[in-house]
């Protein structure tokens, strides 16, 4: 019996030390704007896809620890797939910033413009900034418009909560930039 006591104690201690306190994050949606989602518009925009690289496609929130090293968190996780969150918040942001447009994540018909976004960076960084980078491609009435983006925003506080909020702020800034480009179209 005494032989099993150390094994049982070791198992008990390892069970206690491996208790996972997982935290799940969801990007906040913008506050309701001037335009409701049921509004009619004369222009149609389908946000066809927001793609992300493999290192961002997992559940863990990503943090860059040096110029060449990234860490994917084990206990700070996305509540739903990041590409879906990015697409949902982009549609919501563009809907509020493009009066006269119907913006959707589903095809809207044959007379729609399409937007595809390739996000290459969406992470925190060792210098206290978050990075949101990539490029977008808009097919507007058969004309292709392609723009790169690279946004760096300083976090105001430490921690994953602040990092996710700052990432959402930077993503919203890019949505504003896309909306401004679309508003300048003929």
């Amino acid at each position: 019996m005494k032989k099993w006591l150390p094994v049982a104690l070791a198992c008990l201690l390892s069970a206690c030390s491996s208790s996972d306190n997982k935290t799940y994050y969801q990007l906040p949606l913008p506050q309701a704007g001037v335009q409701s989602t049921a509004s009619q518009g004369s222009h149609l925009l389908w946000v066809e896809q927001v793609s992300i690289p493999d290192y961002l496609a997992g559940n863990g929130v990503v943090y860059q620890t040096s110029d060449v090293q990234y860490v994917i968190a084990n206990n700070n996780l996305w509540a739903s797939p990041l590409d879906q969150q990015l697409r949902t918040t982009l549609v919501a942001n563009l809907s509020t910033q493009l009066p006269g447009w119907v913006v959707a994540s589903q095809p809207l018909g044959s007379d729609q413009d399409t937007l595809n976004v390739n996000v290459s960076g969406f992470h925190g960084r060792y210098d206290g900034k978050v990075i949101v980078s990539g490029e977008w491609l808009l097919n507007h009435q058969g004309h292709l418009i392609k723009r790169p983006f690279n946004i760096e925003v300083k976090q105001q506080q430490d921690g994953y909560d602040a990092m996710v909020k700052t990432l959402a702020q930077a993503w919203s800034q890019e949505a504003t930039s896309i909306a401004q480009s679309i508003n300048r179209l003929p």
Side-chain angles (χ1 to χ4, degrees):
M1 178 78 173
K2 289 185 180 183
K3 292 180 183 178
W4 292 104
L5 188 58
V7 173
L9 185 59
C11 287
L12 180 64
L13 289 175
S14 68
C16 291
S17 67
S18 68
S19 66
D20 292 330
N21 291 330
K22 295 190 184 307
T23 305
Y24 295 90
Y25 294 95
Q26 189 77 25
L27 295 175
L29 290 172
Q31 300 299 317
V34 216
Q35 184 181 19
S36 77
T37 56
S39 69
Q40 299 295 315
S42 57
H43 304 290
L44 306 175
L45 177 63
W46 174 28
V47 179
E48 183 176 15
Q49 181 176 333
V50 175
S51 61
I52 57 176
D54 288 345
Y55 84 100
L56 292 174
N59 292 340
V61 177
V62 175
Y63 183 77
Q64 183 179 359
T65 57
S66 74
D67 58 341
V68 296
Q69 187 175 23
Y70 294 78
V71 173
I72 301 172
N74 291 322
N75 291 330
N76 294 286
L77 308 171
W78 293 113
S80 61
L82 180 59
D83 57 341
Q84 290 177 11
Q85 290 189 52
L86 291 171
R87 188 175 182 201
T88 300
T89 54
L90 180 60
V91 168
N93 276 305
L94 292 176
S95 293
T96 61
Q97 296 179 35
L98 292 171
W101 286 77
V102 174
V103 182
S105 58
Q106 304 295 324
L108 297 166
S110 60
D111 216 13
Q112 68 192 5
D113 290 352
T114 57
L115 176 67
N116 285 283
V117 184
N118 181 20
V119 175
S120 56
F122 195 83
H123 57 274
R125 193 169 67 187
Y126 56 91
D127 61 358
K129 294 181 180 178
V130 300
I131 308 301
V132 175
S133 60
E135 63 184 16
W136 54 266
L137 178 68
L138 176 70
N139 183 342
H140 173 67
Q141 299 173 352
H143 296 90
L144 297 178
I145 302 162
K146 183 177 176 181
R147 299 273 190 280
F149 58 91
N150 186 34
I151 300 172
E152 296 182 12
V153 179
K154 180 91 172 136
Q155 279 184 230
Q156 299 304 308
Q157 297 175 327
D158 291 337
Y160 280 96
D161 283 9
M163 184 173 78
V164 169
K165 288 176 184 174
T166 309
L167 283 165
Q169 174 191 352
W171 185 237
S172 178
Q173 283 180 3
E174 184 50 34
T176 299
S177 175
I178 293 170
Q180 290 170 347
S181 294
I182 291 173
N183 278 325
R184 287 192 292 266
L185 295 173

